[in-house]
């Protein structure tokens, strides 16, 4: 599938890069970048990214990144100190490589994040309604070839999971669609 384009206010770059062509080994994910991104997605966009609500009723966003993105965050001193202070025992996410939370971001490792170009990876910030998964019935192995109606249901359910590109018009008469509730972050990834 093609890489979806993001307009200039819906994409950020790590470090001092201002485009994918400028990204080098120093432009990595850090705790400081996450804090900056939280402000960017809420204050610097025409359509701010709307937060989800976590299990404690607090606003939060999903931050989906690759294993190499997780490596970068774990190498960042501020990020490490945050998790060591909160959970200093064996349940610490840093030792389990799972369940990170920082400054309102639930950080999730996903091995299929996009590689935009050589050594440039893309992480995504997802807000409310950015992820739409339609799974209305259990997906099971189809065993009744005699019933055509049942087979149609099984096939439609199998193909019903999707990531929704949530876009809105920039203004009432503007045909340009702007991405809403998703923000891209391009950063260096080692090969």
């Amino acid at each position: 599938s093609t890489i979806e384009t993001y307009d200039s206010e819906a994409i950020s770059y790590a470090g001092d890069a201002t485009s994918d062509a400028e990204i080098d080994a120093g432009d990595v994910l850090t705790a400081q970048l996450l804090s900056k991104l939280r402000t960017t997605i809420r204050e610097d966009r025409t359509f701010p990214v709307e937060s989800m609500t976590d299990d404690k009723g607090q606003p939060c966003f999903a931050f989906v990144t690759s294993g190499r993105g997780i490596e970068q965050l774990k190498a960042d001193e501020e990020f490490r100190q945050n998790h060591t202070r909160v959970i200093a025992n064996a349940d610490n996410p840093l030792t389990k490589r799972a369940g990170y939370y920082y400054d309102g971001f639930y950080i999730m490792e996903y091995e299929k994040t996009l590689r935009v170009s050589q050594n440039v990876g893309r992480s995504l910030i997802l807000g409310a309604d950015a992820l739409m998964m339609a799974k209305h019935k259990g997906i099971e192995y189809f065993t009744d070839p005699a019933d055509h109606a049942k087979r149609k249901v099984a096939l439609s359910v199998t193909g019903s999971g999707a990531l929704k590109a949530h876009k809105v018009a920039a203004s009432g008469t503007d045909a340009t669609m702007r991405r809403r509730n998703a923000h891209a972050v391009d950063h260096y990834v080692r090969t």
Side-chain angles (χ1 to χ4, degrees):
S1 60
T2 58
I3 294 178
E4 290 261 351
T5 57
Y6 284 72
D7 58 65
S8 60
E9 70 172 17
I11 188 167
S12 296
Y13 303 93
D16 58 0
T18 58
S19 71
D20 290 331
E22 295 179 4
I23 290 178
D24 59 30
D27 300 319
V28 297
L29 297 178
T30 62
Q32 183 180 10
L33 176 62
L34 292 178
S35 294
K36 179 181 174 185
L37 288 168
R38 185 170 169 88
T39 304
T40 298
I41 64 176
R42 298 182 77 178
E43 298 179 12
D44 297 346
R45 292 175 40 134
T46 304
F47 298 100
V49 177
E50 295 176 31
S51 62
M52 297 180 262
T53 304
D54 67 14
D55 57 350
K56 297 179 179 89
Q58 299 298 312
C60 69
F61 305 91
F63 187 84
V64 181
T65 192
S66 65
R68 287 176 168 84
I70 297 293
E71 283 178 5
Q72 293 170 11
L73 288 170
K74 287 175 69 173
D76 181 62
E77 184 63 29
E78 185 179 339
F79 188 82
R80 268 198 329 269
Q81 284 180 359
N82 178 70
H83 285 284
T84 305
R85 270 196 314 268
V86 175
I87 307 170
N89 62 22
D91 291 330
N92 190 313
L94 291 176
T95 60
K96 295 176 107 177
R97 197 179 180 109
Y100 305 103
Y101 185 81
Y102 186 86
D103 201 11
F105 289 111
Y106 277 105
I107 301 164
M108 295 177 275
E109 183 177 358
Y110 183 60
E111 65 275 6
K112 295 180 182 177
T113 53
L114 294 173
R115 180 74 61 92
V116 180
S117 62
Q118 183 69 23
N119 289 17
V120 177
R122 175 165 290 170
S123 297
L124 295 175
I125 298 169
L126 304 176
D129 301 324
L131 189 63
M132 179 184 75
M133 185 61 76
K135 184 181 169 188
H136 51 281
K137 293 185 180 179
I139 298 173
E140 299 172 343
Y141 182 70
F142 186 74
T143 57
D144 188 358
D147 191 332
H148 188 65
K150 284 184 184 177
R151 185 171 182 199
K152 281 185 179 177
V153 170
L155 292 174
S156 69
V157 171
T158 302
S160 67
L163 180 67
K164 177 183 175 187
H166 195 103
K167 297 181 181 179
V168 293
S171 67
T173 58
D174 188 357
T176 304
M177 298 301 281
R178 300 246 176 115
R179 188 170 301 276
R180 180 177 169 274
N181 281 4
H183 191 89
V185 184
D186 287 2
H187 55 91
Y188 174 82
V189 290
R190 66 173 176 79
T191 52

